[in-house]
Amino acid sequence: MTAGSERYVFVVQHRNERFDLMPFSIARTWREDKGLDIAIYSMYDAVELLKKDAINEHPDIRDVLDVLLADGVPVYACGFCARACQLTVDDYYPGVQVGNRNIFHSLMTERQTVYW
């Protein structure tokens, strides 16, 4: 693949307060510095990182997420995980989409996966 044509999905699996910013920050760096096609898919308890309240409490994550969303990076919360956490699309930060099995399948088969 040539530079700029590589496609990645960052799968954020768990929360870790010390490192919650890391996958978003690295995704931004890969996007800005290398021109890579990036998507983010949060699963398990990490779907809670994308809630409006959580983002507003973490300005570092909010700032990076704002840049990614403005640049057209799709950011998803796993739909099954969201339901398990009793969350709806209205609970999420503006621009965050709730994924479904078709989105998940497309991301996992059409992109290289980076797990966090």
Side-chain angles (χ1 to χ4, degrees), residues 23-70:
F24 301 100
S25 182
I26 292 173
R28 178 184 181 182
T29 299
W30 286 17
R31 178 76 177 153
E32 291 179 348
D33 295 353
K34 305 210 178 276
L36 301 177
D37 184 343
I38 302 293
I40 297 175
Y41 196 90
S42 261
M43 299 179 74
Y44 310 119
D45 64 334
V47 296
E48 294 186 356
L49 282 173
L50 299 174
K51 293 186 333 185
K52 290 175 200 170
D53 295 344
I55 293 294
N56 288 327
E57 291 174 10
H58 294 92
D60 292 341
I61 294 175
R62 183 187 61 231
D63 292 346
V64 172
L65 192 58
D66 284 343
V67 168
L68 291 170
L69 290 167

Side-chain angles (χ1 to χ4, degrees), residues 3 14 42-43 49 56 58 63 67 69 73 78 80-81 89 92 94 97 116:
H14 298 288
S42 261
M43 299 179 74
L49 282 173
N56 288 327
H58 294 92
D63 292 346
V67 168
L69 290 167
V73 172
C78 168
F80 180 84
C81 303
V89 68
Y92 287 107
Q97 303 170 63
W116 293 95

